[in-house]
Amino acid sequence: MPENVLTLSGISHSYRRRPVLAGLDLDVGPGITALLGVNGAGKSTLFRIAAGALRPDQGEVRISGSAINSRRERGRALRHLALMPQSSSFPGNLTAREIVRYVAWMRGAKSRDCRDLAEAALHRVGLAEEADTPFRRLSGGMRRRVALAQAVSTSPDLLLLDEPCTGLDPAQRHTMVDLVRGLGGAVVLSSHVMEDVRDLADRVIVLHDRLIRFDGSVADLEARAPRGSSRAAEAGFLGVIQTGSS
Ligand SMILES: Nc1ncnc2c1ncn2[C@@H]1O[C@H](COP(=O)(O)OP(=O)(O)OP(=O)(O)O)[C@@H](O)[C@H]1O
């Protein structure tokens, strides 16, 4: 596996001529990287571009060394990554097992392997006993775990987790944090909850005003806080977005 699992070079994207990303560069290697940004900063847009679900207006995305803009390499590159979207709208009548199996197949796993991959992924997220429950009958926390199971089923080099803990109660959040911590490989997660970031992140990046404005550790972010701040990471984050530079 190359050191940089994800490389974004010169990424720009606008919606109806409103720029959201403008010439953004980012390298991601193994470990857990937390992506922070205020509502509307462009985190989901960045995830969708990195996952090949949205083509940027400009720039190049490379996954494990392969460019996903190039049609020839695209299919191969996309097998190296998985996205856990912010909200999962899987068909309610499909069971957890059917969903994970289908997504594994979609991501290029051999048909004969998909059943075992789904079994292992559901076991990993603690949903083995709910494998035959239709998605619509699962709780919110269980649905998030199905979304995580589909993402990990094919053991991708890169996992993009868009707000994995949103909407979870404290017990479910605890379970999710433990699961994410145990994933290994390269993980990029977005979160609004600083506690998640403190508990999980090896590296923190802040997206603000179309670019990455901070790149460092949680301790580096806390060091940006005014002396004596009680919630240093939050204060550091606010300092970054107020000054707008790294
Ligand atoms: N399909 C779209 N069409 C038009 N505008 C969009 C579209 N998707 C996102 N936007 C706009 O682009 C900006 C960035 O949105 P995005 O969802 O990427 O931000 P975010 O950082 O993930 O926000 P949040 O933290 O609220 O989830 C927002 O102003 C949003 O309204």
Side-chain angles (χ1 to χ4, degrees):
M1 190 162 78
E3 189 59 17
N4 286 328
V5 182
L6 169 68
T7 301
L8 303 177
S9 310
I11 300 290
S12 296
H13 195 72
S14 301
Y15 295 108
R16 297 189 196 97
R17 297 199 188 156
R18 214 186 121 253
V20 175
L21 305 174
L24 181 146
D25 296 317
L26 177 66
D27 287 321
V28 174
I32 299 181
T33 301
L35 172 62
L36 295 180
V38 296
N39 287 126
K43 302 179 296 295
S44 296
T45 301
L46 188 62
F47 273 11
R48 291 178 60 225
I49 288 172
L54 177 66
R55 187 181 284 263
D57 297 339
Q58 279 178 36
E60 185 183 67
V61 181
R62 297 186 83 83
I63 306 292
S64 297
S66 301
I68 67 169
N69 317 50
S70 120
R71 195 178 295 173
R72 190 173 60 82
E73 291 180 307
R74 186 183 159 83
R76 187 152 38 100
L78 292 181
R79 288 180 192 185
H80 292 288
L81 74 91
L83 169 67
M84 176 183 174
Q86 204 174 109
S87 60
S88 315
S89 50
F90 298 117
N93 57 327
L94 292 188
T95 65
R97 188 199 309 277
E98 287 167 338
I99 290 167
V100 180
R101 211 170 148 175
Y102 178 68
V103 176
W105 177 76
M106 286 279 290
R107 219 175 275 132
K110 293 195 176 85
S111 306
R112 64 171 180 273
D113 296 334
C114 289
R115 188 181 171 86
D116 288 347
L117 290 174
E119 214 67 45
L122 288 166
H123 183 77
R124 199 167 167 193
V125 304
L127 275 184
E129 289 184 10
E130 307 294 339
D132 294 314
T133 304
F135 188 70
R136 67 167 178 273
R137 284 211 250 121
L138 296 173
S139 72
M142 288 174 177
R143 289 178 186 195
R144 295 304 281 152
R145 281 191 274 156
V146 172
L148 182 63
Q150 62 77 26
V152 301
S153 64
T154 51
S155 303
D157 297 341
L158 172 65
L159 271 165
L160 302 168
L161 311 179
D162 201 351
E163 298 192 23
C165 297
T166 294
L168 302 185
D169 68 31
Q172 291 171 335
R173 177 195 166 270
H174 192 78
T175 306
M176 183 60 81
V177 165
D178 278 350
L179 287 169
V180 172
R181 203 185 274 134
L183 287 175
V187 177
V188 185
L189 63 90
S190 68
S191 179
H192 287 293
V193 183
M194 206 55 82
E195 203 184 340
D196 296 345
V197 175
R198 259 195 307 264
D199 286 353
L200 287 168
D202 303 307
R203 175 186 178 195
V204 180
I205 52 179
V206 175
L207 174 62
H208 186 67
D209 199 13
R210 304 184 286 273
L211 286 172
I212 303 294
R213 303 291 180 176
F214 172 86
D215 188 345
S217 64
V218 174
D220 294 336
L221 188 63
E222 288 174 345
R224 295 292 190 98
R227 200 178 286 266
S229 302
S230 56
R231 289 146 55 118
E234 280 91 339
F237 170 69
L238 289 173
V240 169
I241 64 173
Q242 276 154 13
T243 57
S245 62
S246 57

